[in-house]
Amino acid sequence: MTSEREQHGAPAGNLALVTGASRGVGRGVALGLLAAGFRVYVTGRSIDQADLPPEMRRLRCDHLKDEQTARVFDAIRSECGRLDLLVNCAWGGYERMAEGGAFTWPAPFWDQPMHRWTGMMDAGVRAAFVCSAHAARMMTPRHRGLIVNISFWAAQRHLGNTIYGIAKAATDKMTSDMAVELKPYDIPVISLYPGLVRTEAVLAAAESGAFDLSTSESPEFIGRVINGLFHDPNLMTRTGQVLVAAAVAKEFGVLDIDGKSPPALTLADI
């Protein structure tokens, strides 16, 4: 039995995997990369039901289960033989923010439900680590690739709850240390901070006045920024760094889907 790769040859163009692409930032990244000409693989627990174009290769995956993650990379290796870009968006930290009629998200650490640790650290940080390890095994022999970890300002100040800060700080440290080990192979690793993104959850909350969307970003904007980074000939000079998506966009002249240039938030703005 021949594989797709054997039948049709390795695919032309750049190949990206976006984890956690069923909704939110992950879905937007996948759409942005597809529009930029990438061949896009997407994963998620509910990826089969996601509102995504048929051109994307959907691989259902619960990244809490290592064997399912391994099957994703086995499929990419079998069908394409390579991976050019990994964007780690898988994240379970925004699930079950309210329980029993109480909004538990901002509770002190001693009152936090432990499923939040699992959602942020295991479905988030650990999933990114495991996916990056698989990706590195495919990228290092070719000395080509880029790994992007979606992170946020909670790494640098208290925002919401302690577990959130731990998870984002761990993501940034993971990025920094992976960059050291991948530098001899010319593979950059970046932590990327979005601003306020118009995800499904944010739009729903905005209807009640919870958010001012005047300076917000579309989910696709992040994909556009990542495409700009991928094609930056000097990207290795940024490896291991934390980058603010809107600041990178201004540098590269990248606009949002509405033609606007979102402001680059700073720590003082958060």
Side-chain angles (χ1 to χ4, degrees):
M1 182 176 181
T2 59
S3 68
E4 179 181 326
R5 183 186 177 205
E6 292 169 331
Q7 291 172 353
H8 305 293
N14 294 307
L15 184 73
L17 168 62
V18 183
T19 69
S22 299
R23 62 182 65 84
V25 172
R27 177 178 177 273
V29 168
L31 290 170
L33 293 175
L34 183 70
F38 282 79
R39 179 175 179 181
V40 182
Y41 279 65
V42 288
T43 68
R45 288 173 297 178
S46 57
I47 201 69
D48 293 337
Q49 292 76 47
D51 181 16
L52 291 167
E55 298 93 326
M56 292 185 188
R57 176 73 161 93
R58 305 176 189 224
L59 295 171
R60 187 180 182 279
C61 180
D62 179 350
H63 285 287
L64 285 170
K65 299 179 180 178
D66 290 349
E67 66 277 10
Q68 292 188 20
T69 298
R71 284 199 293 269
V72 166
F73 286 88
D74 286 344
I76 295 172
R77 187 178 294 105
S78 173
E79 296 172 10
C80 305
R82 72 174 199 277
L83 180 64
D84 301 303
L85 170 63
L86 168 65
V87 186
N88 285 308
C89 297
W91 172 257
Y94 297 140
E95 298 173 352
R96 295 161 62 187
M97 296 177 77
E99 299 172 280
F103 185 54
T104 60
W105 172 266
F109 71 87
W110 56 90
D111 288 332
Q112 283 287 327
M114 288 312 298
H115 71 74
R116 192 153 291 140
W117 179 277
T118 301
M120 294 184 181
M121 295 299 295
D122 295 340
V125 181
R126 188 180 187 279
F129 178 87
V130 173
C131 287
S132 296
H134 281 287
R137 295 182 193 115
M138 298 179 69
M139 293 175 176
T140 50
R142 300 174 62 232
H143 285 248
R144 173 178 168 80
L146 167 63
I147 297 173
V148 176
N149 297 316
I150 300 299
S151 190
F152 198 57
W153 292 102
Q156 302 183 36
R157 66 172 295 178
H158 184 276
L159 289 175
N161 63 70
T162 296
I163 304 174
Y164 191 35
I166 294 170
K168 295 308 182 184
T171 297
D172 289 355
K173 177 60 174 170
M174 177 174 66
T175 293
S176 176
D177 285 3
M178 284 181 174
V180 172
E181 296 178 4
L182 284 172
K183 189 172 183 178
Y185 300 92
D186 303 313
I187 298 168
V189 190
I190 300 296
S191 270
L192 191 63
Y193 287 11
L196 177 61
V197 182
R198 296 188 297 275
T199 63
E200 298 88 342
V202 167
L203 289 173
E207 292 180 0
S208 63
F211 293 112
D212 175 6
L213 300 181
S214 60
T215 61
S216 63
E217 305 164 357
S218 74
E220 294 89 340
F221 177 67
I222 310 305
R224 292 184 172 199
V225 172
I226 293 172
N227 175 59
L229 285 169
F230 183 85
H231 289 98
D232 179 9
N234 299 312
L235 184 56
M236 277 303 297
T237 64
R238 307 177 195 253
T239 189
Q241 296 180 17
V242 169
L243 301 178
V244 177
V248 173
K250 291 184 185 301
E251 180 182 345
F252 292 159
V254 174
L255 300 177
D256 208 338
I257 58 174
D258 58 4
K260 295 181 179 180
S261 177
L265 301 180
T266 67
L267 188 60
D269 298 318
I270 301 301

